[in-house]
PDB file of all heavy atoms in Angstrom:
ATOM      1  N   ASN A 502      15.277 -34.122  -4.684  1.00  0.00           N
ATOM      2  CA  ASN A 502      15.469 -34.781  -5.944  1.00  0.00           C
ATOM      3  C   ASN A 502      14.171 -35.352  -6.432  1.00  0.00           C
ATOM      4  O   ASN A 502      13.212 -35.551  -5.671  1.00  0.00           O
ATOM      5  CB  ASN A 502      16.547 -35.874  -5.800  1.00  0.00           C
ATOM      6  CG  ASN A 502      16.177 -36.979  -4.761  1.00  0.00           C
ATOM      7  OD1 ASN A 502      15.083 -37.503  -4.914  1.00  0.00           O
ATOM      8  ND2 ASN A 502      17.056 -37.281  -3.862  1.00  0.00           N
ATOM      9  N   ALA A 503      14.106 -35.559  -7.682  1.00  0.00           N
ATOM     10  CA  ALA A 503      12.861 -35.987  -8.334  1.00  0.00           C
ATOM     11  C   ALA A 503      12.314 -37.292  -7.786  1.00  0.00           C
ATOM     12  O   ALA A 503      11.086 -37.497  -7.615  1.00  0.00           O
ATOM     13  CB  ALA A 503      13.082 -36.157  -9.828  1.00  0.00           C
ATOM     14  N   GLU A 504      13.204 -38.233  -7.390  1.00  0.00           N
ATOM     15  CA  GLU A 504      12.829 -39.545  -6.826  1.00  0.00           C
ATOM     16  C   GLU A 504      12.025 -39.367  -5.515  1.00  0.00           C
ATOM     17  O   GLU A 504      10.942 -39.942  -5.332  1.00  0.00           O
ATOM     18  CB  GLU A 504      14.038 -40.397  -6.661  1.00  0.00           C
ATOM     19  CG  GLU A 504      13.627 -41.879  -6.324  1.00  0.00           C
ATOM     20  CD  GLU A 504      14.841 -42.766  -5.973  1.00  0.00           C
ATOM     21  OE1 GLU A 504      16.048 -42.262  -6.202  1.00  0.00           O
ATOM     22  OE2 GLU A 504      14.662 -43.901  -5.642  1.00  0.00           O
ATOM     23  N   GLU A 505      12.544 -38.548  -4.628  1.00  0.00           N
ATOM     24  CA  GLU A 505      11.902 -38.259  -3.342  1.00  0.00           C
ATOM     25  C   GLU A 505      10.565 -37.654  -3.629  1.00  0.00           C
ATOM     26  O   GLU A 505       9.543 -37.956  -2.996  1.00  0.00           O
ATOM     27  CB  GLU A 505      12.762 -37.361  -2.433  1.00  0.00           C
ATOM     28  CG  GLU A 505      12.147 -37.225  -1.063  1.00  0.00           C
ATOM     29  CD  GLU A 505      12.890 -36.159  -0.236  1.00  0.00           C
ATOM     30  OE1 GLU A 505      14.051 -35.850  -0.500  1.00  0.00           O
ATOM     31  OE2 GLU A 505      12.259 -35.677   0.788  1.00  0.00           O
ATOM     32  N   SER A 506      10.456 -36.682  -4.557  1.00  0.00           N
ATOM     33  CA  SER A 506       9.166 -36.052  -4.900  1.00  0.00           C
ATOM     34  C   SER A 506       8.161 -37.098  -5.330  1.00  0.00           C
ATOM     35  O   SER A 506       6.979 -37.027  -4.882  1.00  0.00           O
ATOM     36  CB  SER A 506       9.434 -35.030  -5.992  1.00  0.00           C
ATOM     37  OG  SER A 506       8.242 -34.368  -6.359  1.00  0.00           O
ATOM     38  N   GLU A 507       8.562 -38.062  -6.203  1.00  0.00           N
ATOM     39  CA  GLU A 507       7.648 -39.054  -6.652  1.00  0.00           C
ATOM     40  C   GLU A 507       7.159 -40.038  -5.587  1.00  0.00           C
ATOM     41  O   GLU A 507       6.024 -40.377  -5.584  1.00  0.00           O
ATOM     42  CB  GLU A 507       8.377 -39.878  -7.798  1.00  0.00           C
ATOM     43  CG  GLU A 507       8.518 -39.116  -9.084  1.00  0.00           C
ATOM     44  CD  GLU A 507       7.230 -38.549  -9.616  1.00  0.00           C
ATOM     45  OE1 GLU A 507       6.165 -39.256  -9.653  1.00  0.00           O
ATOM     46  OE2 GLU A 507       7.202 -37.381 -10.023  1.00  0.00           O
ATOM     47  N   ILE A 508       8.042 -40.347  -4.667  1.00  0.00           N
ATOM     48  CA  ILE A 508       7.687 -41.261  -3.571  1.00  0.00           C
ATOM     49  C   ILE A 508       6.632 -40.622  -2.695  1.00  0.00           C
ATOM     50  O   ILE A 508       5.627 -41.222  -2.382  1.00  0.00           O
ATOM     51  CB  ILE A 508       8.952 -41.637  -2.701  1.00  0.00           C
ATOM     52  CG1 ILE A 508       9.923 -42.532  -3.486  1.00  0.00           C
ATOM     53  CG2 ILE A 508       8.509 -42.307  -1.390  1.00  0.00           C
ATOM     54  CD1 ILE A 508      11.201 -42.747  -2.918  1.00  0.00           C
ATOM     55  N   ARG A 509       6.818 -39.313  -2.394  1.00  0.00           N
ATOM     56  CA  ARG A 509       5.810 -38.615  -1.513  1.00  0.00           C
ATOM     57  C   ARG A 509       4.472 -38.516  -2.268  1.00  0.00           C
ATOM     58  O   ARG A 509       3.391 -38.710  -1.645  1.00  0.00           O
ATOM     59  CB  ARG A 509       6.377 -37.199  -1.149  1.00  0.00           C
ATOM     60  CG  ARG A 509       7.316 -37.291  -0.015  1.00  0.00           C
ATOM     61  CD  ARG A 509       8.333 -36.123   0.059  1.00  0.00           C
ATOM     62  NE  ARG A 509       7.708 -34.847   0.283  1.00  0.00           N
ATOM     63  CZ  ARG A 509       8.413 -33.738   0.548  1.00  0.00           C
ATOM     64  NH1 ARG A 509       9.705 -33.751   0.557  1.00  0.00           N
ATOM     65  NH2 ARG A 509       7.760 -32.591   0.812  1.00  0.00           N
ATOM     66  N   TYR A 510       4.612 -38.293  -3.563  1.00  0.00           N
ATOM     67  CA  TYR A 510       3.345 -38.126  -4.357  1.00  0.00           C
ATOM     68  C   TYR A 510       2.618 -39.428  -4.443  1.00  0.00           C
ATOM     69  O   TYR A 510       1.343 -39.509  -4.315  1.00  0.00           O
ATOM     70  CB  TYR A 510       3.713 -37.571  -5.735  1.00  0.00           C
ATOM     71  CG  TYR A 510       2.521 -37.321  -6.643  1.00  0.00           C
ATOM     72  CD1 TYR A 510       1.430 -36.617  -6.166  1.00  0.00           C
ATOM     73  CD2 TYR A 510       2.545 -37.773  -7.949  1.00  0.00           C
ATOM     74  CE1 TYR A 510       0.308 -36.391  -7.061  1.00  0.00           C
ATOM     75  CE2 TYR A 510       1.453 -37.512  -8.810  1.00  0.00           C
ATOM     76  CZ  TYR A 510       0.365 -36.843  -8.364  1.00  0.00           C
ATOM     77  OH  TYR A 510      -0.692 -36.574  -9.185  1.00  0.00           O
ATOM     78  N   SER A 511       3.301 -40.537  -4.684  1.00  0.00           N
ATOM     79  CA  SER A 511       2.653 -41.835  -4.791  1.00  0.00           C
ATOM     80  C   SER A 511       2.009 -42.275  -3.525  1.00  0.00           C
ATOM     81  O   SER A 511       0.954 -42.936  -3.489  1.00  0.00           O
ATOM     82  CB  SER A 511       3.579 -42.962  -5.397  1.00  0.00           C
ATOM     83  OG  SER A 511       4.610 -43.096  -4.496  1.00  0.00           O
ATOM     84  N   THR A 512       2.635 -41.911  -2.404  1.00  0.00           N
ATOM     85  CA  THR A 512       2.048 -42.252  -1.076  1.00  0.00           C
ATOM     86  C   THR A 512       0.808 -41.457  -0.820  1.00  0.00           C
ATOM     87  O   THR A 512      -0.263 -41.956  -0.339  1.00  0.00           O
ATOM     88  CB  THR A 512       3.055 -41.966   0.125  1.00  0.00           C
ATOM     89  OG1 THR A 512       4.286 -42.561  -0.198  1.00  0.00           O
ATOM     90  CG2 THR A 512       2.562 -42.574   1.405  1.00  0.00           C
ATOM     91  N   TRP A 513       0.819 -40.204  -1.241  1.00  0.00           N
ATOM     92  CA  TRP A 513      -0.398 -39.342  -1.219  1.00  0.00           C
ATOM     93  C   TRP A 513      -1.513 -39.973  -1.975  1.00  0.00           C
ATOM     94  O   TRP A 513      -2.670 -40.026  -1.522  1.00  0.00           O
ATOM     95  CB  TRP A 513      -0.055 -37.964  -1.698  1.00  0.00           C
ATOM     96  CG  TRP A 513      -1.201 -37.237  -2.323  1.00  0.00           C
ATOM     97  CD1 TRP A 513      -1.498 -37.158  -3.606  1.00  0.00           C
ATOM     98  CD2 TRP A 513      -2.234 -36.494  -1.619  1.00  0.00           C
ATOM     99  NE1 TRP A 513      -2.680 -36.383  -3.836  1.00  0.00           N
ATOM    100  CE2 TRP A 513      -3.109 -36.028  -2.639  1.00  0.00           C
ATOM    101  CE3 TRP A 513      -2.482 -36.201  -0.273  1.00  0.00           C
ATOM    102  CZ2 TRP A 513      -4.225 -35.200  -2.281  1.00  0.00           C
ATOM    103  CZ3 TRP A 513      -3.583 -35.432   0.051  1.00  0.00           C
ATOM    104  CH2 TRP A 513      -4.449 -34.969  -0.974  1.00  0.00           C
ATOM    105  N   LYS A 514      -1.214 -40.497  -3.191  1.00  0.00           N
ATOM    106  CA  LYS A 514      -2.281 -41.126  -4.004  1.00  0.00           C
ATOM    107  C   LYS A 514      -2.920 -42.324  -3.318  1.00  0.00           C
ATOM    108  O   LYS A 514      -4.108 -42.570  -3.468  1.00  0.00           O
ATOM    109  CB  LYS A 514      -1.659 -41.521  -5.333  1.00  0.00           C
ATOM    110  CG  LYS A 514      -1.076 -40.404  -6.205  1.00  0.00           C
ATOM    111  CD  LYS A 514      -2.085 -39.693  -7.021  1.00  0.00           C
ATOM    112  CE  LYS A 514      -2.236 -40.312  -8.369  1.00  0.00           C
ATOM    113  NZ  LYS A 514      -3.104 -39.493  -9.263  1.00  0.00           N
TER     114      LYS A 514
END
Side-chain angles (χ1 to χ4, degrees):
N502 64 51
E504 189 183 356
E505 186 187 339
S506 180
E507 287 306 314
I508 289 167
R509 278 155 68 172
Y510 182 49
S511 62
T512 312
W513 151 263
K514 299 275 271 188

